[in-house]
């Protein structure tokens, strides 16, 4: 397998590993509508995200890329947190979710430290979205104050999923480069050969 093909497959795995958790955030935003995907759909998404993250993690390990490894482990932990556990084990799910949030934040910070331009901006978006996702659970505690209105509670329920959606979508975009390069080359070729300019 050529380097370009391998890079594209790893990039595709990174995009999948970022998009599926982002879709989980999107589902979280629809909680007020009462729509939830079936348990089988959630389990399938968790397995696919975990497998894609393992592919990305192995590639990151081979390149000794701490940022990529942090992203991969964050997705695997989040996928494991989706596994339905008995109620006695809910602290384990919480620990995996918080560890996933911390690792995604570390991924964003590492990208910011080593990058420039749009990549650095995307790193900031990952970090910012993850902070919002992390604080979403804390902010939700404000909804349990005695005089909290239903509108306030509904708004607070949306904070965490919105941060999760933004953080993981920005992370997926960071992996999309090798997938978009052929499109850019094709567009440049068409532009250079176009009669109308």
């Amino acid at each position: 397998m050529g380097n370009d093909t391998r890079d594209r497959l790893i990039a595709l795995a990174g995009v999948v590993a970022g998009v599926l958790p982002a879709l989980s955030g999107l589902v979280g935003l629809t909680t007020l509508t009462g729509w939830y995907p079936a348990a089988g759909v959630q389990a399938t998404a968790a397995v696919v995200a975990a497998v894609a993250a393992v592919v990305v993690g192995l590639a990151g390990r081979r390149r000794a890329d701490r940022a990529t490894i942090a992203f991969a482990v964050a997705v695997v932990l989040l996928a494991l947190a989706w596994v339905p556990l008995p109620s006695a084990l809910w602290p384990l799910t919480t620990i995996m979710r918080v560890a996933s949030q911390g690792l995604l934040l570390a991924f964003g910070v590492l990208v910011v430290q080593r990058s420039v331009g749009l990549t650095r901006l995307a790193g900031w978006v990952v970090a910012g979205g993850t902070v919002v996702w992390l604080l979403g659970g804390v902010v939700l505690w404000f909804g349990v104050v005695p005089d909290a209105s239903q509108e306030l509670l509904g708004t607070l329920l949306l904070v965490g999923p919105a941060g999760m959606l933004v953080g993981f979508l920005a992370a997926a975009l960071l992996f999309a480069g090798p997938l978009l390069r052929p499109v850019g080359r094709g567009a440049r070729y068409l532009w250079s050969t176009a009669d109308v300019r």
Side-chain angles (χ1 to χ4, degrees):
M1 181 183 331
N3 283 343
D4 279 350
T5 305
R6 187 176 64 233
D7 287 348
R8 277 192 224 118
L9 287 175
I10 292 167
L12 179 61
V15 169
V16 168
V19 165
L20 289 177
L23 291 178
S24 177
L26 184 62
V27 168
L29 289 175
T30 63
T31 55
L32 298 179
T33 66
W35 176 81
Y36 296 100
V41 172
Q42 293 178 16
T44 303
V47 169
V48 171
V51 169
V54 167
V55 170
V56 171
L58 291 174
R61 184 173 178 263
R62 189 176 52 239
R63 292 189 310 246
D65 183 357
R66 293 179 311 172
T68 302
I69 294 170
F71 171 77
V73 175
V75 174
V76 168
L77 285 173
L78 186 60
L80 289 173
W82 286 340
V83 173
L85 295 174
S87 58
L89 296 176
W90 70 265
L92 184 60
T93 301
T94 303
I95 290 168
M96 287 188 290
R97 185 174 292 274
V98 170
S100 173
Q101 292 167 329
L103 286 166
L104 189 63
L105 179 60
F107 169 70
V109 169
L110 288 169
V111 168
V112 166
Q113 287 177 343
R114 71 177 188 195
S115 304
V116 294
L118 290 176
T119 304
R120 185 179 188 129
L121 177 62
W124 279 113
V125 173
V126 170
T130 306
V131 167
V132 170
W133 177 32
L134 185 61
L135 294 178
V138 176
V139 167
L140 195 54
W141 282 102
F142 290 114
V144 298
V145 295
D147 294 331
S149 67
Q150 194 65 26
E151 293 79 21
L152 174 64
L153 186 58
T155 303
L156 294 177
L157 278 171
L158 301 178
V159 171
M164 182 181 189
L165 174 68
V166 168
F168 275 108
L169 273 182
L173 286 174
L174 284 168
F175 286 95
L179 297 175
L180 299 176
R181 274 189 215 119
V183 175
R185 282 195 297 262
R188 282 192 296 278
Y189 174 75
L190 288 174
W191 179 256
S192 67
T193 60
D195 289 332
V196 225
R197 268 186 286 136

